[in-house]
Amino acid sequence: MNGILYIVGTPIGNLSDFSPRAAQTLENVDFIAAEDTRVTLKLLNHFGIKKEMVSYYEHNKRERGEIICERITRGENCALVTDAGMPAVSDPGEDLICLCHETGIKVVSVPGPTAFATALALSGMETGRFTFEGFLSVSKKSRFEHLESIKDEKRTMIFYEAPHKLANTLKDLYNALGCRELAIVREITKIHEEVINTNLKDASQKYANGGLKGEIVLVVAGKKDTQPEISMEQAVLMAESLVSGGMSINNAAKEIAAQTTYKKSDIYKELL
């Protein structure tokens, strides 16, 4: 009888975010498939868990995935973890889960923190509709094609990026998308957690030589529909009308910013 593959979300920073169910799952499975066994060992040691681990990462996922599935089909239970966050989200675990479904292995979720959803919530930007874009490719051709495909995207866009690649990514995003509103969210749940609300133009200049460390998520505003040009004074009057109708100042500024080329923060200041 087949065993089960458990997809176990791990903390994206603060180990206290690890759920009791997740800890119990790691304690009870037969083995753990980890992106980096050294990182996962720190988590296991923190919770006093001793368990066999096998490495499963980008460069061995094809061969190792078959071995893991074979063990599960023999009746063993396996927990899949990534270094931080939810496995299979911009992560090689996606392939293992697909292979399990193809093989008829049951896959069970033990959800945990996810960086892109947390960053979106922290950003203060539009959350009603969004698209997760993951990491931009390091291949120039694939990178260009990716950026071309999203230049007219109207939904809020979320990207992951490593600090040493941030300067090039900000430059490429600005060149492709223009001066969009941007939130740089870094070190989520850690001591130096920070949200930098800016725009692609200013950020590409300010961080041209790096300067930011840690895990980084970029939240970029979608393209706004072309609107007849109106003045800031008109935009403020529109927002004041919404406030008079009972809407909060914050929501009124947000609503009018979505309809015009002005930033929510600028309209909000004028309303105070």
Side-chain angles (χ1 to χ4, degrees):
M1 184 177 180
N2 286 352
I4 296 173
L5 176 71
Y6 293 91
I7 312 172
V8 181
T10 56
I12 51 180
N14 193 321
L15 293 181
S16 297
D17 294 332
F18 201 49
S19 74
R21 181 184 171 217
Q24 184 179 46
T25 300
L26 296 190
E27 183 74 60
N28 292 339
V29 294
D30 296 291
F31 68 105
I32 298 169
E35 180 180 12
D36 187 329
T37 56
R38 296 166 299 181
V39 173
T40 302
L41 182 60
K42 294 178 183 177
L43 177 70
L44 297 182
N45 287 341
H46 182 83
F47 289 96
I49 300 171
K50 296 185 183 299
K51 191 66 56 176
E52 176 195 352
M53 287 188 287
V54 297
S55 64
Y56 177 85
Y57 56 94
E58 183 64 31
H59 300 297
N60 75 353
K61 63 184 181 182
R62 195 172 303 276
E63 174 190 353
R64 198 57 59 87
E66 293 178 358
I67 295 173
I68 291 170
C69 282
E70 184 180 342
R71 290 185 62 173
I72 297 175
T73 55
R74 293 203 304 262
E76 293 187 77
N77 292 323
C78 173
L80 172 66
V81 299
T82 187
D83 290 350
M86 198 64 189
V89 178
S90 266
D91 174 78
E94 176 184 354
D95 285 32
L96 179 58
I97 293 166
C98 181
L99 185 58
C100 283
H101 286 311
E102 291 174 355
T103 312
I105 292 171
K106 184 177 180 180
V107 180
V108 174
S109 67
V110 184
T114 305
F116 76 80
T118 309
L120 178 63
L122 284 169
S123 72
M125 295 172 66
E126 295 286 344
T127 62
R129 298 185 66 197
F130 64 90
T131 171
F132 175 61
E133 299 295 330
F135 290 95
L136 286 176
S137 174
V138 294
S139 160
K140 288 185 178 181
K141 182 176 182 295
S142 297
R143 193 179 183 90
F144 174 78
E145 290 174 348
H146 189 167
L147 292 170
E148 276 292 299
S149 72
I150 61 171
K151 65 181 182 181
D152 293 321
E153 177 60 67
K154 295 180 180 179
R155 295 170 294 181
T156 302
M157 293 170 283
I158 308 170
F159 300 85
Y160 285 166
E161 195 48 278
H164 65 282
K165 298 178 181 177
L166 180 64
N168 285 334
T169 293
L170 290 174
K171 181 185 70 174
D172 290 345
L173 286 171
Y174 174 53
N175 289 337
L177 307 178
C179 190
R180 303 275 188 93
E181 186 179 354
L182 167 71
I184 303 174
V185 187
R186 70 183 195 93
E187 293 294 85
I188 299 173
T189 76
K190 300 178 185 178
I191 295 175
H192 300 293
E193 178 178 286
E194 180 180 25
V195 180
I196 303 170
N197 292 108
T198 179
N199 59 64
L200 286 174
K201 180 181 179 181
D202 291 346
S204 63
Q205 294 172 350
K206 183 174 182 180
Y207 303 110
N209 296 314
L212 291 179
K213 298 180 180 180
E215 303 295 330
I216 294 172
V217 183
L218 302 175
V219 185
V220 182
K223 183 179 181 180
K224 294 181 179 178
D225 291 325
T226 303
Q227 298 286 345
E229 188 173 339
I230 66 171
S231 66
M232 171 60 83
E233 183 179 357
Q234 290 173 307
V236 172
L237 288 173
M238 292 166 64
E240 288 177 341
S241 176
L242 294 177
V243 172
S244 298
M247 187 177 288
S248 70
I249 292 177
N250 182 66
N251 286 340
K254 188 175 183 179
E255 179 73 23
I256 300 306
Q259 300 176 29
T260 66
T261 58
Y262 300 107
K263 295 176 63 176
K264 183 187 83 170
S265 58
D266 292 335
I267 298 173
Y268 183 88
K269 290 175 184 176
E270 294 294 324
L271 290 172
L272 295 178

